[in-house]
Amino acid sequence: MNLIVNVQKGARKQGFEWATRQAWKCGMKANLVNRVIGVARGQVVCVIDGVRAELSTELNNPHHHEDKQGRYVFVGGAVWEPNDLLAPAFPEFMFMHVRNLGRKHKYMTDDELFFNLA
């Protein structure tokens, strides 16, 4: 399962990786997520593959504060950002646009994700 998140606001403060990883209000579906994809203005800017969801604490989230109590942070995994273009296993859908994405985060299977890429 993929979690697609909008990172426009958080990316300026924390960078693409931490804006993608942290403090999402997810339900039990968060435990099914194995890939988190950060999207800024509809374009894929960060992919974190092989993650697991944990409740945010000071130990697993360097940007944790009381406002983020009860939210999930996604730890572990391999991170790809725009500067990693020459890295091995760089995702083929990096820099593509995602259709049918609202303001909130969205869960998609791999098939739904590839169908919604433009």
Side-chain angles (χ1 to χ4, degrees), residues 19-67:
T20 301
R21 279 190 187 273
Q22 61 135 358
W24 298 105
K25 286 184 183 179
C26 301
M28 293 306 291
K29 261 188 168 177
N31 295 314
L32 301 174
V33 172
N34 61 1
R35 183 186 299 144
V36 182
I37 300 168
V39 176
R41 295 187 178 147
Q43 182 177 359
V44 176
V45 293
C46 183
V47 177
I48 308 172
D49 203 3
V51 297
R52 72 179 187 283
E54 294 181 0
L55 286 173
S56 182
T57 65
E58 283 115 14
L59 298 174
N60 61 12
N61 185 357
H63 302 285
H64 179 81
H65 52 81
E66 289 188 24
D67 294 346

Side-chain angles (χ1 to χ4, degrees), residues 1 55 68:
M1 179 79 61
L55 286 173
K68 297 181 180 179

Side-chain angles (χ1 to χ4, degrees), residues 1-4 32-37 47 49 92-93 107-117:
M1 179 79 61
N2 300 299
L3 176 66
I4 292 84
L32 301 174
V33 172
N34 61 1
R35 183 186 299 144
V36 182
I37 300 168
V47 177
D49 203 3
E92 60 193 36
F93 55 88
Y107 297 96
M108 290 185 187
T109 63
D110 287 340
D111 292 337
E112 290 172 331
L113 174 65
F114 291 115
F115 180 75
N116 285 306
L117 290 173

Side-chain angles (χ1 to χ4, degrees), residues 76-118:
V79 179
W80 292 282
E81 295 182 292
N83 292 339
D84 301 329
L85 187 61
L86 300 176
F90 189 76
E92 60 193 36
F93 55 88
M94 183 68 91
F95 306 118
M96 295 183 84
H97 287 268
V98 180
R99 295 180 298 219
N100 301 326
L101 185 64
R103 302 182 124 243
K104 294 186 175 188
H105 60 272
K106 193 170 194 174
Y107 297 96
M108 290 185 187
T109 63
D110 287 340
D111 292 337
E112 290 172 331
L113 174 65
F114 291 115
F115 180 75
N116 285 306
L117 290 173

